[in-house]
Amino acid sequence: AQHDGHLECLRCGRFRLGGVPAPGRRLPSWSYRWLTADMGWKAEILPSSIERMAGEHNKIIAAAAKEVLGPIGFKRKGQTRLWILDHGFWLNTVGFRPGQWSVSVDLDNAAHWLWAGHGFMSLDYFLRGSHASFEDAAQFSDAVMEIAREAASLAVQVEGRFSSFDAIASFVIKEAEDSERMRPSWFGYRAGLACGILGRQEEAEYFLRGITDSRVSPHAAPFLALTRRTADFRSRVNELVARQRAALKLPALGCDPF
């Protein structure tokens, strides 16, 4: 992850969730292990001493997260350390990321825009939280409970910041405007989609036409042709949301979000 929370894939394509990491690069471990479970990646091999303790401390994390995050609407993603609050077209996520070489946990809060349809779990807004190492069960239980409470507090902040699509759109548009390097890439793509959803046709065309990143252009081209037809534009975004939810094994929505 970058300092502002965007994974490397959104910066230069050196790795992405759901793709192949380049030599010498590592995905964030909580994401990597989640993909291992859901997408058939080769499991990371842990030293045997760490492996023996992992089951116990995973149960501690799951119990604390269920107690604190469950009441505010979060649900666990399978048997992983990823917890999700599903808003239909975006996800509020909490990840309890394991340490690389020790039994420990780091907190990652994030938002993921399903409407952008990346095909993988990008962390589109990111807040890094606290860290705790395992010494014994009692110590770790107390530490993880504090981290779970911090996760809930940060999740409420994310909820407040992105309380409507208008708020999300303002964020992604400013993000594109402020970054000359990423405006012709994923930032511009997301800004273009946000403007198109809101019916701001000229702005949508400006952002989408300005994309020069060869990885992003194929995603942008179908929308560029629809910038003057807002209903058709929104309909295509709804299709993106449906595909992205299917890719992440989320339940289908009962009605279109846009």
Side-chain angles (χ1 to χ4, degrees):
Q2 299 296 312
H3 64 87
D4 61 356
H6 289 89
L7 292 181
E8 196 77 12
C9 65
L10 301 184
R11 295 290 183 180
C12 66
R14 278 177 283 181
F15 63 69
R16 68 181 181 87
L17 301 188
V20 179
R25 307 295 299 200
R26 295 185 66 87
L27 288 170
S29 54
W30 70 266
S31 303
Y32 179 84
R33 294 181 187 182
W34 172 57
L35 287 173
T36 298
D38 283 358
M39 301 181 70
W41 279 53
K42 182 178 178 181
E44 184 175 16
I45 303 301
L46 297 175
S48 58
S49 60
I50 296 176
E51 192 175 61
R52 284 195 297 269
M53 292 184 287
E56 181 179 13
H57 97 301
N58 280 335
K59 290 178 182 178
I60 292 171
I61 293 169
K66 182 178 181 180
E67 179 177 338
V68 177
L69 296 176
I72 60 174
F74 279 82
K75 294 182 179 180
R76 189 179 181 186
K77 175 69 172 171
Q79 296 301 305
T80 72
R81 296 184 181 195
L82 183 66
W83 290 73
I84 293 173
L85 181 53
D86 189 345
H87 289 283
F89 59 87
W90 74 281
L91 304 177
N92 190 344
T93 72
V94 174
F96 297 93
R97 177 166 44 88
Q100 295 283 349
W101 304 109
S102 65
V103 177
S104 61
V105 62
D106 290 277
L107 172 62
D108 295 328
N109 283 70
H112 169 66
W113 314 140
L114 292 162
W115 52 271
H118 293 300
F120 52 92
M121 178 71 88
S122 56
L123 306 185
D124 301 313
Y125 176 77
F126 184 85
L127 296 171
R128 187 174 296 286
S130 297
H131 166 89
S133 295
F134 185 98
E135 297 173 10
D136 58 60
Q139 164 272 331
F140 195 67
S141 293
D142 291 342
V144 168
M145 185 58 70
E146 287 303 311
I147 286 178
R149 293 189 183 109
E150 180 185 356
S153 177
L154 292 175
V156 170
Q157 290 182 35
V158 174
E159 290 286 299
R161 178 157 193 173
F162 303 120
S163 59
S164 66
F165 186 74
D166 283 345
I168 293 173
S170 295
F171 172 79
V172 299
I173 291 168
K174 186 175 189 305
E175 187 179 51
E177 291 174 341
D178 290 348
S179 177
E180 292 185 10
R181 184 162 68 92
M182 286 302 295
R183 192 182 311 131
S185 186
W186 290 112
F187 287 12
Y189 167 75
R190 293 200 296 254
L193 261 60
C195 289
I197 291 168
L198 294 177
R200 292 157 57 173
Q201 298 175 346
E202 291 183 0
E203 292 171 87
E205 184 172 354
Y206 164 76
F207 284 116
L208 294 172
R209 195 174 296 282
I211 290 172
T212 57
D213 188 330
S214 61
R215 298 166 301 146
V216 184
S217 296
H219 297 271
F223 289 99
L224 184 58
L226 299 175
T227 53
R228 301 294 174 172
R229 307 193 327 253
T230 299
D232 292 338
F233 194 103
R234 290 173 178 164
S235 178
R236 192 167 186 98
V237 173
N238 289 331
E239 293 173 6
L240 267 189
V241 172
R243 289 202 301 269
Q244 183 72 353
R245 294 185 64 85
L248 298 180
K249 299 184 180 180
L250 299 171
L253 296 176
C255 59
D256 290 335
F258 301 110

